[in-house]
Coordinates of all heavy atoms in Angstrom, one line a residue:
L449 N 11.5 -4.9 43.0 CA 11.6 -6.1 43.9 C 12.2 -7.3 43.3 O 12.2 -8.4 43.9 CB 10.2 -6.4 44.4 CG 9.6 -5.3 45.4 CD1 8.1 -5.6 45.7 CD2 10.4 -5.3 46.7
G450 N 12.6 -7.2 42.0 CA 13.3 -8.3 41.4 C 12.5 -9.2 40.4 O 13.1 -10.2 40.0
M451 N 11.3 -8.8 40.0 CA 10.5 -9.7 39.2 C 11.0 -9.5 37.7 O 11.0 -8.5 37.2 CB 9.1 -9.3 39.3 CG 8.1 -10.2 38.4 SD 6.4 -9.8 38.7 CE 5.7 -11.0 37.5
P452 N 11.5 -10.6 37.1 CA 11.9 -10.6 35.7 C 10.8 -10.4 34.8 O 9.6 -10.8 35.1 CB 12.7 -11.9 35.6 CG 12.8 -12.5 36.9 CD 11.7 -11.9 37.7
R453 N 11.0 -9.9 33.6 CA 10.0 -9.9 32.6 C 10.0 -11.2 31.9 O 10.9 -12.0 32.0 CB 10.3 -8.8 31.6 CG 11.6 -8.9 30.8 CD 12.1 -7.7 30.1 NE 11.1 -7.1 29.2 CZ 11.3 -6.1 28.3 NH1 12.5 -5.6 28.3 NH2 10.5 -5.7 27.5
R454 N 8.9 -11.5 31.2 CA 8.8 -12.7 30.3 C 8.8 -14.0 31.1 O 9.2 -15.1 30.6 CB 9.9 -12.8 29.2 CG 9.8 -11.6 28.3 CD 10.8 -11.7 27.2 NE 12.2 -11.6 27.6 CZ 12.9 -10.5 27.7 NH1 12.3 -9.3 27.5 NH2 14.1 -10.5 28.1
I455 N 8.3 -14.0 32.4 CA 8.1 -15.2 33.2 C 6.6 -15.5 33.2 O 5.9 -14.5 33.3 CB 8.7 -15.2 34.6 CG1 8.1 -14.0 35.4 CG2 10.2 -15.0 34.5 CD1 8.5 -14.0 36.9
Y456 N 6.2 -16.7 33.2 CA 4.8 -17.0 33.1 C 4.1 -17.3 34.4 O 2.9 -17.3 34.5 CB 4.6 -18.2 32.1 CG 4.7 -19.6 32.8 CD1 3.6 -20.3 33.2 CD2 6.0 -20.1 33.0 CE1 3.8 -21.6 33.7 CE2 6.1 -21.3 33.6 CZ 5.0 -22.1 34.0 OH 5.2 -23.3 34.5
T457 N 5.0 -17.5 35.5 CA 4.4 -17.6 36.8 C 5.5 -17.4 37.8 O 6.7 -17.1 37.4 CB 3.9 -19.0 37.0 OG1 3.1 -19.1 38.3 CG2 4.9 -20.1 37.1
Y458 N 5.2 -17.3 39.1 CA 6.1 -17.0 40.1 C 5.6 -17.7 41.5 O 4.4 -17.8 41.7 CB 6.3 -15.5 40.3 CG 5.0 -14.8 40.5 CD1 4.5 -14.5 41.8 CD2 4.2 -14.4 39.4 CE1 3.3 -13.8 42.0 CE2 3.0 -13.7 39.5 CZ 2.6 -13.5 40.9 OH 1.3 -12.8 41.0
P459 N 6.5 -18.0 42.4 CA 6.0 -18.6 43.7 C 5.5 -17.5 44.6 O 5.9 -16.3 44.6 CB 7.3 -19.2 44.2 CG 8.4 -18.5 43.6 CD 7.9 -18.1 42.2
A460 N 4.6 -17.8 45.5 CA 4.0 -16.9 46.4 C 5.0 -16.2 47.3 O 4.8 -15.0 47.7 CB 2.9 -17.5 47.2
E461 N 6.0 -16.9 47.7 CA 6.9 -16.4 48.7 C 7.8 -15.3 48.2 O 8.6 -14.6 49.0 CB 7.8 -17.5 49.3 CG 8.6 -18.2 48.3 CD 7.9 -19.5 47.8 OE1 6.6 -19.5 47.9 OE2 8.6 -20.4 47.3
M462 N 7.7 -14.9 46.9 CA 8.6 -13.8 46.4 C 8.0 -12.4 46.8 O 8.7 -11.5 46.7 CB 8.5 -13.9 44.9 CG 9.2 -15.1 44.3 SD 10.9 -15.4 44.8 CE 11.7 -14.0 44.1
G463 N 6.7 -12.4 47.3 CA 6.3 -11.1 47.7 C 5.7 -10.2 46.6 O 5.6 -9.0 46.9
W464 N 5.4 -10.7 45.5 CA 4.9 -9.9 44.4 C 3.4 -10.0 44.2 O 2.9 -9.4 43.3 CB 5.6 -10.4 43.0 CG 7.1 -10.4 43.1 CD1 7.9 -9.6 43.8 CD2 8.0 -11.3 42.4 NE1 9.2 -9.9 43.6 CE2 9.3 -10.9 42.7 CE3 7.7 -12.2 41.4 CZ2 10.4 -11.5 42.1 CZ3 8.8 -12.9 40.9 CH2 10.2 -12.5 41.2
T465 N 2.7 -10.8 44.9 CA 1.3 -11.2 44.7 C 0.4 -10.0 44.7 O -0.4 -9.8 43.8 CB 0.9 -12.3 45.7 OG1 1.7 -13.4 45.6 CG2 -0.6 -12.7 45.4
A466 N 0.4 -9.2 45.7 CA -0.5 -8.1 45.9 C -0.3 -7.0 44.7 O -1.3 -6.6 44.2 CB -0.3 -7.4 47.2
L467 N 0.9 -6.8 44.4 CA 1.2 -5.8 43.3 C 0.8 -6.3 42.0 O 0.2 -5.5 41.2 CB 2.7 -5.5 43.3 CG 3.3 -4.7 44.6 CD1 4.8 -4.6 44.5 CD2 2.6 -3.3 44.7
N468 N 1.0 -7.6 41.8 CA 0.6 -8.1 40.5 C -1.0 -8.2 40.4 O -1.6 -7.9 39.3 CB 1.1 -9.5 40.3 CG 2.5 -9.5 39.7 OD1 2.7 -9.0 38.6 ND2 3.5 -10.2 40.3
L469 N -1.6 -8.5 41.5 CA -3.1 -8.4 41.5 C -3.6 -7.1 41.2 O -4.6 -6.9 40.3 CB -3.6 -8.9 42.8 CG -5.2 -9.1 42.9 CD1 -5.8 -10.0 41.8 CD2 -5.6 -9.5 44.4
L470 N -3.1 -6.0 41.8 CA -3.5 -4.7 41.5 C -3.2 -4.3 40.0 O -4.0 -3.6 39.4 CB -2.7 -3.7 42.5 CG -3.2 -3.6 43.9 CD1 -2.2 -2.8 44.7 CD2 -4.6 -3.1 44.0
S471 N -2.1 -4.7 39.5 CA -1.8 -4.5 38.1 C -2.8 -5.1 37.2 O -3.3 -4.5 36.2 CB -0.4 -5.0 37.7 OG 0.6 -4.2 38.2
S472 N -3.2 -6.3 37.5 CA -4.2 -7.0 36.7 C -5.6 -6.3 36.8 O -6.3 -6.2 35.8 CB -4.3 -8.5 37.1 OG -3.1 -9.1 36.9
V473 N -6.0 -5.9 38.0 CA -7.3 -5.2 38.1 C -7.2 -3.9 37.3 O -8.2 -3.6 36.6 CB -7.5 -4.9 39.6 CG1 -8.7 -4.0 39.8 CG2 -7.8 -6.2 40.4
G474 N -6.1 -3.2 37.4 CA -5.9 -2.0 36.6 C -6.0 -2.2 35.1 O -6.6 -1.4 34.4
S475 N -5.5 -3.3 34.7 CA -5.6 -3.6 33.2 C -7.0 -3.8 32.8 O -7.4 -3.4 31.6 CB -4.7 -4.9 32.9 OG -5.3 -6.0 33.4
F476 N -7.8 -4.4 33.6 CA -9.2 -4.6 33.2 C -10.0 -3.3 33.3 O -10.9 -3.0 32.4 CB -9.9 -5.7 34.1 CG -9.5 -7.1 33.6 CD1 -8.3 -7.7 34.0 CD2 -10.4 -7.8 32.8 CE1 -8.0 -8.9 33.5 CE2 -10.1 -9.1 32.3 CZ -8.9 -9.7 32.7
I477 N -9.7 -2.4 34.2 CA -10.3 -1.1 34.2 C -9.9 -0.4 33.0 O -10.8 0.3 32.3 CB -9.8 -0.3 35.5 CG1 -10.4 -1.0 36.8 CG2 -10.3 1.1 35.4 CD1 -9.8 -0.4 38.1
M478 N -8.6 -0.4 32.6 CA -8.2 0.3 31.4 C -8.9 -0.3 30.2 O -9.4 0.5 29.2 CB -6.7 0.2 31.2 CG -6.1 0.8 30.0 SD -4.3 1.0 30.0 CE -3.9 -0.7 30.3
A479 N -9.1 -1.6 30.1 CA -9.8 -2.2 29.0 C -11.2 -1.7 28.9 O -11.7 -1.5 27.8 CB -9.8 -3.7 29.1
F480 N -11.9 -1.6 30.0 CA -13.3 -1.0 30.0 C -13.3 0.3 29.5 O -14.2 0.8 28.7 CB -13.9 -1.1 31.5 CG -14.2 -2.4 31.9 CD1 -13.9 -2.9 33.2 CD2 -15.0 -3.3 31.1 CE1 -14.2 -4.1 33.7 CE2 -15.3 -4.6 31.5 CZ -14.9 -5.0 32.8
G481 N -12.3 1.2 29.8 CA -12.2 2.5 29.2 C -12.0 2.5 27.7 O -12.7 3.3 27.1
F482 N -11.2 1.7 27.2 CA -11.0 1.6 25.7 C -12.4 1.1 25.1 O -12.7 1.5 24.0 CB -9.9 0.7 25.3 CG -8.5 1.4 25.5 CD1 -7.6 0.9 26.4 CD2 -8.2 2.5 24.8 CE1 -6.4 1.5 26.6 CE2 -7.0 3.1 24.9 CZ -6.1 2.6 25.9
A483 N -13.0 0.1 25.7 CA -14.3 -0.3 25.2 C -15.3 0.8 25.1 O -16.1 1.0 24.2 CB -14.8 -1.5 26.0
L484 N -15.3 1.7 26.1 CA -16.2 2.8 26.2 C -15.9 3.8 25.1 O -16.7 4.5 24.5 CB -16.2 3.5 27.6 CG -17.3 4.4 28.0 CD1 -18.6 3.5 28.0 CD2 -17.1 4.9 29.4
F485 N -14.6 4.0 24.9 CA -14.1 4.9 23.8 C -14.7 4.4 22.5 O -15.2 5.2 21.6 CB -12.6 4.9 23.8 CG -12.0 5.5 22.5 CD1 -12.1 6.9 22.2 CD2 -11.5 4.6 21.5 CE1 -11.5 7.4 21.1 CE2 -11.0 5.1 20.4 CZ -11.0 6.5 20.1
A486 N -14.5 3.1 22.2 CA -15.1 2.5 21.0 C -16.5 2.7 20.9 O -17.1 3.1 19.8 CB -14.7 1.0 20.8
L487 N -17.3 2.6 21.9 CA -18.7 2.8 22.0 C -19.0 4.2 21.6 O -19.9 4.5 20.8 CB -19.3 2.4 23.3 CG -20.8 2.7 23.5 CD1 -21.7 1.8 22.5 CD2 -21.2 2.4 24.9
D488 N -18.3 5.2 22.2 CA -18.5 6.6 22.0 C -18.3 6.9 20.5 O -19.0 7.7 19.9 CB -17.5 7.4 22.9 CG -17.8 8.8 22.9 OD1 -19.0 9.2 22.5 OD2 -16.9 9.7 23.2
V489 N -17.2 6.4 19.9 CA -16.9 6.7 18.5 C -18.1 6.1 17.7 O -18.6 6.7 16.7 CB -15.6 6.1 18.1 CG1 -15.4 6.1 16.6 CG2 -14.5 6.7 18.8
G490 N -18.5 4.9 18.0 CA -19.6 4.3 17.2 C -20.9 5.1 17.3 O -21.6 5.3 16.3
L491 N -21.2 5.6 18.5 CA -22.4 6.4 18.6 C -22.3 7.7 17.8 O -23.3 8.2 17.2 CB -22.7 6.7 20.1 CG -23.1 5.5 20.9 CD1 -23.2 6.0 22.4 CD2 -24.4 5.0 20.4
Q492 N -21.1 8.3 17.8 CA -20.9 9.5 17.1 C -21.0 9.3 15.5 O -21.6 10.1 14.8 CB -19.5 10.1 17.3 CG -19.2 11.4 16.5 CD -17.9 12.1 17.0 OE1 -17.5 11.9 18.1 NE2 -17.3 12.9 16.1
I493 N -20.5 8.1 15.1 CA -20.6 7.9 13.6 C -22.1 7.6 13.2 O -22.5 8.1 12.1 CB -19.8 6.6 13.3 CG1 -18.3 7.0 13.5 CG2 -20.1 6.2 11.9 CD1 -17.4 5.8 13.3
F494 N -22.9 6.9 14.0 CA -24.2 6.4 13.5 C -25.4 7.2 14.1 O -26.4 7.2 13.5 CB -24.3 4.9 13.9 CG -23.3 4.1 13.2 CD1 -22.3 3.5 13.9 CD2 -23.3 3.9 11.8 CE1 -21.3 2.6 13.2 CE2 -22.4 3.1 11.1 CZ -21.4 2.5 11.9
L495 N -25.2 7.8 15.2 CA -26.4 8.4 15.9 C -26.4 9.8 16.2 O -27.4 10.5 16.5 CB -26.7 7.6 17.2 CG -27.0 6.1 17.1 CD1 -27.2 5.5 18.4 CD2 -28.2 5.9 16.2
S496 N -25.2 10.4 16.2 CA -25.0 11.8 16.7 C -25.5 12.8 15.6 O -25.7 12.4 14.5 CB -23.6 12.1 17.0 OG -23.5 13.4 17.6
R497 N -25.8 14.0 16.1 CA -26.3 15.1 15.1 C -25.1 15.6 14.3 O -23.9 15.5 14.6 CB -26.9 16.2 16.0 CG -26.0 16.8 16.9 CD -26.7 17.9 17.8 NE -25.8 18.4 18.9 CZ -25.0 19.4 18.7 NH1 -24.8 19.9 17.5 NH2 -24.2 19.8 19.7
R498 N -25.5 16.3 13.3 CA -24.5 16.9 12.4 C -23.7 17.9 13.1 O -24.2 18.7 13.9 CB -25.1 17.5 11.1 CG -25.9 16.5 10.2 CD -25.0 15.6 9.4 NE -24.1 16.4 8.5 CZ -23.2 15.9 7.8 NH1 -23.0 14.6 7.8 NH2 -22.4 16.6 7.0
S499 N -22.4 18.0 12.7 CA -21.5 19.0 13.3 C -21.3 20.2 12.3 O -21.4 20.0 11.0 CB -20.1 18.5 13.6 OG -19.2 19.4 13.9
R500 N -21.1 21.4 12.8 CA -20.8 22.5 11.9 C -19.4 22.4 11.4 O -18.5 21.7 12.0 CB -21.0 23.8 12.6 CG -20.0 24.1 13.7 CD -20.2 25.5 14.3 NE -19.1 25.9 15.3 CZ -19.1 25.5 16.5 NH1 -20.0 24.8 17.1 NH2 -18.0 26.0 17.3
R501 N -19.1 23.1 10.3 CA -17.7 23.1 9.8 C -16.8 23.8 10.7 O -17.2 24.9 11.3 CB -17.7 23.7 8.4 CG -16.4 23.7 7.8 CD -16.3 24.5 6.5 NE -17.2 24.0 5.5 CZ -17.2 24.4 4.2 NH1 -16.4 25.3 3.8 NH2 -18.0 23.8 3.3
N502 N -15.6 23.2 10.9 CA -14.6 23.8 11.9 C -15.2 24.1 13.2 O -15.2 25.3 13.7 CB -14.1 25.1 11.3 CG -12.8 25.6 11.9 OD1 -12.2 24.9 12.8 ND2 -12.3 26.8 11.6
P503 N -15.6 23.0 13.9 CA -16.2 23.2 15.3 C -15.3 23.8 16.3 O -15.7 24.3 17.3 CB -16.7 21.8 15.6 CG -15.8 20.9 14.9 CD -15.5 21.6 13.6
W504 N -13.9 23.6 16.1 CA -12.9 24.1 17.1 C -12.4 25.5 16.8 O -11.6 26.0 17.5 CB -11.8 23.1 17.1 CG -12.1 21.7 17.3 CD1 -12.1 20.7 16.3 CD2 -12.6 21.0 18.5 NE1 -12.6 19.5 16.8 CE2 -12.8 19.7 18.2 CE3 -12.8 21.5 19.8 CZ2 -13.3 18.8 19.1 CZ3 -13.2 20.6 20.7 CH2 -13.5 19.2 20.4
R505 N -12.8 26.1 15.7 CA -12.3 27.4 15.2 C -10.8 27.3 15.0 O -10.1 28.3 15.5 CB -12.8 28.5 16.2 CG -14.2 28.6 16.4 CD -14.6 29.9 17.2 NE -14.1 29.8 18.5 CZ -14.6 29.1 19.6 NH1 -15.8 28.4 19.4 NH2 -14.1 29.1 20.7
A506 N -10.4 26.3 14.4 CA -8.9 26.1 14.1 C -8.5 26.9 12.9 O -9.4 27.3 12.1 CB -8.6 24.6 14.0
G507 N -7.2 27.0 12.7 CA -6.8 27.9 11.6 C -6.1 27.1 10.5 O -5.7 27.7 9.5
T508 N -6.1 25.7 10.5 CA -5.3 25.0 9.5 C -6.3 24.6 8.4 O -7.5 24.5 8.6 CB -4.6 23.8 10.1 OG1 -5.5 23.2 11.0 CG2 -3.4 24.2 10.9
L509 N -5.7 24.2 7.2 CA -6.5 24.1 6.0 C -7.4 22.9 6.0 O -8.4 22.9 5.2 CB -5.5 24.0 4.8 CG -4.9 25.2 4.3 CD1 -3.9 24.9 3.2 CD2 -6.0 26.2 3.8
E510 N -7.3 21.9 6.8 CA -8.2 20.7 6.8 C -9.6 21.1 7.1 O -10.5 20.4 6.8 CB -7.7 19.6 7.6 CG -7.9 19.7 9.2 CD -6.7 20.4 9.8 OE1 -6.0 21.2 9.2 OE2 -6.6 20.2 11.1
W511 N -9.7 22.3 7.8 CA -11.1 22.8 8.1 C -11.6 23.8 7.1 O -12.7 24.3 7.4 CB -11.0 23.4 9.5 CG -10.6 22.5 10.6 CD1 -9.4 22.5 11.3 CD2 -11.3 21.4 11.1 NE1 -9.4 21.5 12.2 CE2 -10.5 20.8 12.1 CE3 -12.6 20.8 10.9 CZ2 -10.9 19.7 12.9 CZ3 -13.0 19.7 11.7 CH2 -12.1 19.1 12.6
A512 N -11.0 23.9 6.0 CA -11.4 24.8 4.9 C -12.2 24.1 3.9 O -12.2 24.4 2.7 CB -10.2 25.5 4.3
M513 N -12.9 23.0 4.2 CA -13.6 22.1 3.3 C -14.8 21.5 4.0 O -14.9 21.6 5.2 CB -12.7 21.0 2.7 CG -12.2 20.1 3.8 SD -10.9 19.0 3.2 CE -9.5 20.2 2.8
P514 N -15.8 21.1 3.2 CA -16.9 20.4 3.9 C -16.5 19.3 4.7 O -15.5 18.6 4.4 CB -17.8 20.0 2.7 CG -17.4 20.8 1.5 CD -15.9 21.1 1.8
I515 N -17.3 18.9 5.7 CA -16.9 17.7 6.5 C -18.2 16.8 6.5 O -19.3 17.2 6.7 CB -16.5 18.0 8.0 CG1 -17.5 18.9 8.7 CG2 -15.2 18.7 7.9 CD1 -17.2 19.1 10.1
P516 N -18.0 15.5 6.3 CA -16.7 14.8 5.8 C -16.3 15.4 4.4 O -17.2 15.8 3.6 CB -17.0 13.4 5.8 CG -18.5 13.3 5.7 CD -19.1 14.5 6.4
A517 N -15.0 15.4 4.1 CA -14.5 15.9 2.9 C -14.9 15.2 1.7 O -15.0 13.9 1.7 CB -13.0 16.0 3.0
P518 N -15.1 15.9 0.6 CA -15.4 15.2 -0.7 C -14.1 14.4 -1.2 O -13.0 14.6 -0.6 CB -15.7 16.3 -1.7 CG -15.1 17.6 -1.1 CD -15.1 17.3 0.4
T519 N -14.2 13.6 -2.2 CA -13.1 12.8 -2.6 C -11.9 13.6 -3.1 O -10.8 13.2 -3.1 CB -13.5 11.8 -3.7 OG1 -14.2 12.6 -4.7 CG2 -14.5 10.8 -3.2
Y520 N -12.2 14.8 -3.6 CA -11.1 15.7 -4.2 C -10.7 16.7 -3.1 O -9.8 17.5 -3.5 CB -11.7 16.4 -5.4 CG -12.9 17.2 -5.2 CD1 -12.9 18.5 -4.7 CD2 -14.2 16.6 -5.5 CE1 -14.1 19.2 -4.5 CE2 -15.4 17.3 -5.2 CZ -15.3 18.6 -4.7 OH -16.5 19.3 -4.5
N521 N -11.2 16.7 -1.9 CA -10.8 17.6 -0.8 C -11.3 19.0 -1.0 O -12.2 19.5 -0.3 CB -9.3 17.6 -0.6 CG -8.8 16.3 0.1 OD1 -9.6 15.6 0.6 ND2 -7.5 16.1 -0.1
I522 N -10.7 19.8 -1.9 CA -11.1 21.2 -2.1 C -11.3 21.5 -3.6 O -10.6 20.9 -4.5 CB -9.9 22.1 -1.6 CG1 -8.6 21.6 -2.0 CG2 -10.1 22.2 -0.1 CD1 -7.5 22.5 -1.5
A523 N -12.3 22.4 -3.8 CA -12.7 22.7 -5.2 C -11.6 23.4 -6.0 O -11.5 23.3 -7.2 CB -14.0 23.5 -5.2
S524 N -10.8 24.2 -5.3 CA -9.6 24.8 -5.9 C -8.6 25.0 -4.8 O -8.9 25.0 -3.6 CB -10.0 26.2 -6.4 OG -10.5 27.0 -5.5
Q525 N -7.3 25.0 -5.2 CA -6.2 25.1 -4.2 C -5.8 26.5 -3.9 O -5.7 27.4 -4.8 CB -5.0 24.3 -4.8 CG -5.3 22.8 -4.9 CD -4.0 22.1 -5.3 OE1 -3.9 21.5 -6.4 NE2 -3.0 22.0 -4.4
P526 N -5.6 26.8 -2.6 CA -5.3 28.1 -2.2 C -3.8 28.6 -2.4 O -3.0 27.7 -2.7 CB -5.6 28.1 -0.7 CG -5.3 26.7 -0.3 CD -5.6 25.8 -1.5
H527 N -3.6 29.8 -2.4 CA -2.2 30.4 -2.2 C -2.0 30.7 -0.8 O -2.7 31.5 -0.2 CB -2.0 31.6 -3.1 CG -0.6 32.0 -3.2 ND1 0.2 31.5 -4.2 CD2 0.1 32.9 -2.5 CE1 1.4 32.0 -4.0 NE2 1.4 32.9 -3.0
V528 N -1.0 30.0 -0.1 CA -0.9 30.0 1.3 C 0.3 30.8 1.7 O 1.5 30.6 1.1 CB -0.8 28.6 1.9 CG1 -0.6 28.7 3.4 CG2 -2.0 27.9 1.6
T529 N 0.2 31.8 2.6 CA 1.3 32.6 3.0 C 1.5 32.6 4.5 O 2.4 33.3 5.0 CB 1.3 34.1 2.5 OG1 0.1 34.6 3.0 CG2 1.3 34.1 1.0
D530 N 0.6 31.9 5.2 CA 0.6 32.0 6.7 C 0.4 30.5 7.2 O -0.1 29.7 6.6 CB -0.5 32.9 7.2 CG -0.4 33.2 8.7 OD1 0.4 34.1 9.0 OD2 -1.0 32.5 9.4
R531 N 0.9 30.3 8.5 CA 0.8 29.0 9.1 C -0.7 28.7 9.5 O -1.0 27.5 9.6 CB 1.6 28.9 10.3 CG 3.1 29.0 10.1 CD 3.9 29.2 11.4 NE 5.4 29.5 11.0 CZ 6.2 30.1 11.9 NH1 5.8 30.4 13.1 NH2 7.4 30.4 11.5
E532 N -1.5 29.7 9.6 CA -2.9 29.5 9.9 C -3.8 30.3 9.0 O -4.2 31.4 9.3 CB -3.2 29.9 11.4 CG -2.5 29.0 12.4 CD -3.0 29.3 13.8 OE1 -2.6 30.4 14.3 OE2 -3.7 28.4 14.4
P533 N -3.9 29.7 7.8 CA -4.7 30.5 6.7 C -6.1 30.9 7.1 O -6.6 31.9 6.6 CB -4.7 29.5 5.5 CG -3.6 28.6 5.8 CD -3.5 28.4 7.3
L534 N -6.7 30.1 7.8 CA -8.2 30.4 8.2 C -8.3 31.5 9.2 O -9.3 32.1 9.4 CB -8.9 29.2 8.7 CG -9.1 28.0 7.7 CD1 -9.8 26.9 8.3 CD2 -9.7 28.5 6.5
V535 N -7.2 31.8 9.9 CA -7.2 32.9 10.9 C -7.0 34.2 10.1 O -7.7 35.2 10.3 CB -6.1 32.8 11.9 CG1 -6.0 34.0 12.7 CG2 -6.3 31.5 12.8

Side-chain angles (χ1 to χ4, degrees):
L449 290 173
M451 183 174 179
R453 63 196 302 190
R454 300 187 290 275
I455 59 169
Y456 83 101
T457 190
Y458 53 91
E461 56 267 22
M462 297 303 297
W464 306 330
T465 304
L467 294 172
N468 272 303
L469 182 59
L470 286 173
S471 284
S472 297
V473 171
S475 72
F476 280 82
I477 293 173
M478 181 168 52
F480 287 134
F482 283 116
L484 201 58
F485 164 78
L487 176 63
D488 189 20
V489 172
L491 291 175
Q492 177 168 336
I493 294 172
F494 297 109
L495 298 178
S496 187
R497 59 184 174 83
R498 297 286 301 178
S499 171
R500 71 179 189 273
R501 184 186 295 190
N502 197 4
W504 308 105
R505 300 187 299 279
T508 44
L509 281 175
E510 77 269 26
W511 300 106
M513 58 192 68
I515 56 174
T519 52
Y520 55 85
N521 287 339
I522 45 179
S524 59
Q525 293 186 248
H527 190 89
V528 177
T529 58
D530 192 82
R531 293 170 191 158
E532 295 187 291
L534 296 184
V535 174

